[in-house]
Amino acid sequence: MRLVRGPGVRERRRHRLRAALDRGAGLSPTDGDTGAATSEAPRTAVVVVNWERADLTTAAVRAVLAEGTADEVVVVDNGSSDDSVAVLRRALPGATVIAREHNGGFAAGANAGIRHAHADVVVLLNNDAVPAPGFVRALRDHLTRAAPEVAAVTGRIVLAGRWTGLPAGVVPAPDQRVLRDHGGRAWTPSADGEVRLNSTGVLVDRDGNGMDRDWFAPVDRVAGVDVFGFSGGASALRRSALDDVGLLDESLFMYYEDTELAWRLRRRGWRVEHASDAVVEHDHSASSGVQSDLFVFRNARNRMVVALWHAPWGTVLRASARTLFRGLRGLGAGSTRREARLVLAAFGDVARTLPVHLARRRRESQRASVPRRRVDPGA
């Protein structure tokens, strides 16, 4: 059950967002052009995908509509089996609501919205993220001022709530919500904890793991403008770049679709930048959950698939070996057996369809203008 927030709680949340926006505005590590956008701002559309969480989507879209920057707001219901479409159309008269018959995953939903939008700049926003005032304008203006080879601008995503790191050796309670940072430290929600970052862009390590840059870093961390990839949950894309490389890959269903598109953009000579003043507060994995079967299987499968399509062979081999080892090791304990079977199922799925993925790798090489060795996904 989702609690209904009273006006006092909503006001405190708006205050946190405003404070995060103010911190982000002063975090640029360069002294680049910070002037106003051109008088003729590009037409901008915001796309939000919903699946059976009309409450989250309504909050996110109302914040976008209240800002008033977007020329068009498109909400795509991704085949919800509940009354989401009726609720959204009633609650959001200022947005266009598209109803898809089936749930094709985030990529299919986002692509439907992108195709519907008549805009030069398309902003993607997760339905479980609430944008701070000026979010859309900050992304649009950054992309407008950026060099023409900048294909995407990724925002500053702040984790909702406050978090406290658990001391080493402390075992969380079975029903305790826990997230882990890149170093493996466990964090849990706490009223007297700290505000932490979710993402300032996307990186890929030597093992093919896609990860949020600055995951669980202090909220005032200064992030570089240049970054490998964008987060599909809070970013702006240049339409001309999408016309060049194509939309999100719908075969991935969900997870790694933004990372895969970033690879295509990079190998065609496009760049991605971070806008520290485009802030959203994100209720991490409120829609799907970080330990759901869907997450475990798709995350393991898509990591290997994207590496096969785009990464150097060393990364492909490490990603495959670590996935297989993780699955086999997990079979030894009852507490990890379910996850291990899902990971091994993902490995088997990729192995069975290997010729298809190798053919895709060849096609990507033929289309690319930048060699793999010249792309640094960890920067």
Side-chain angles (χ1 to χ4, degrees):
M1 180 178 71
R2 184 173 177 84
L3 297 177
V4 178
R5 296 183 174 91
V9 176
R10 289 195 295 270
E11 180 59 33
R12 288 194 295 273
R13 189 173 192 187
R14 283 195 293 269
H15 177 74
R16 289 201 306 270
L17 279 167
R18 184 72 254 177
L21 179 61
D22 291 341
R23 285 191 292 268
L27 291 175
S28 175
T30 65
D31 293 324
D33 177 19
T34 57
T38 57
S39 58
E40 293 187 9
R43 183 172 174 82
T44 303
V46 177
V47 174
V48 181
V49 179
N50 176 76
W51 185 69
E52 300 189 352
R53 288 308 302 266
D55 57 333
L56 296 178
T57 303
T58 297
V61 174
R62 280 178 172 166
V64 170
L65 293 171
E67 179 185 332
T69 299
D71 299 287
E72 189 177 2
V73 179
V74 182
V75 179
V76 180
D77 181 76
N78 219 2
S80 296
S81 60
D82 60 8
D83 60 350
S84 283
V85 173
V87 170
L88 292 170
R89 285 176 173 161
R90 182 170 61 250
L92 304 171
T96 300
V97 178
I98 299 174
R100 284 175 48 83
E101 186 175 351
H102 304 292
N103 181 7
F106 175 79
N111 285 348
I114 294 171
R115 292 187 185 101
H116 180 87
H118 301 285
D120 304 303
V121 174
V122 179
V123 173
L124 299 180
L125 177 66
N126 266 4
N127 72 326
D128 54 4
V130 178
F135 165 75
V136 177
R137 183 181 300 276
L139 288 177
R140 184 201 65 188
D141 291 355
H142 187 116
L143 195 56
T144 301
R145 293 191 301 264
E149 69 271 16
V150 175
V153 177
T154 191
R156 188 174 187 84
I157 307 177
V158 178
L159 281 168
R162 292 179 174 271
W163 298 82
T164 295
L166 296 179
V170 173
V171 179
D175 59 345
Q176 187 174 9
R177 187 183 181 195
V178 170
L179 296 176
R180 295 187 180 274
D181 61 24
H182 291 323
R185 185 183 185 186
W187 293 77
T188 189
S190 171
D192 57 353
E194 306 169 5
V195 179
R196 291 275 162 166
L197 285 175
N198 185 152
S199 178
T200 61
V202 171
L203 307 176
V204 179
D205 69 11
R206 295 175 67 253
D207 297 330
N209 295 301
M211 61 183 68
D212 288 308
R213 185 178 69 169
D214 293 325
W215 169 250
F216 262 100
V219 73
D220 57 355
R221 168 73 61 85
V222 175
V225 172
D226 290 311
V227 65
F228 168 72
F230 63 94
S231 169
S235 56
L237 303 172
R238 200 186 294 272
R239 172 75 71 168
S240 57
L242 295 176
D243 291 341
D244 180 40
V245 304
L247 302 183
L248 296 163
D249 191 294
E250 298 182 14
S251 71
L252 297 174
F253 190 77
M254 64 190 306
Y255 304 122
Y256 278 82
E257 61 280 293
D258 47 6
T259 305
E260 191 280 324
L261 181 53
W263 268 108
R264 273 186 280 142
L265 289 167
R266 287 294 189 169
R267 297 202 63 206
R268 287 286 294 172
W270 295 95
R271 294 196 298 109
V272 178
E273 291 188 348
H274 165 61
S276 61
D277 55 346
V279 180
V280 301
E281 186 180 67
H282 183 216
D283 190 0
H284 183 70
S285 295
S287 297
S288 60
V290 295
Q291 291 302 323
S292 67
D293 290 359
L294 175 66
F295 173 84
V296 173
F297 176 82
R298 282 287 169 180
N299 196 59
R301 175 194 181 275
N302 291 354
R303 179 176 61 251
M304 290 185 290
V305 166
V306 172
L308 265 169
W309 294 351
H310 298 292
W313 279 115
T315 298
V316 175
L317 294 175
R318 283 189 294 270
S320 302
R322 287 180 68 89
T323 302
L324 180 59
F325 177 74
R326 175 187 169 194
L328 293 175
R329 181 182 61 181
L331 291 176
S335 60
T336 58
R337 194 165 294 139
R338 178 189 64 85
E339 179 179 333
R341 288 171 176 165
L342 291 167
V343 170
L344 290 174
F347 184 90
D349 179 88
V350 176
R352 284 191 300 272
T353 54
L354 185 59
V356 174
H357 300 308
L358 294 176
R360 172 70 179 267
R361 183 180 179 90
R362 288 192 295 271
R363 291 197 301 272
E364 294 298 339
S365 294
Q366 293 166 356
R367 295 169 182 161
S369 55
V370 177
R372 287 186 179 88
R373 66 180 180 275
R374 287 181 52 193
V375 178
D376 182 4

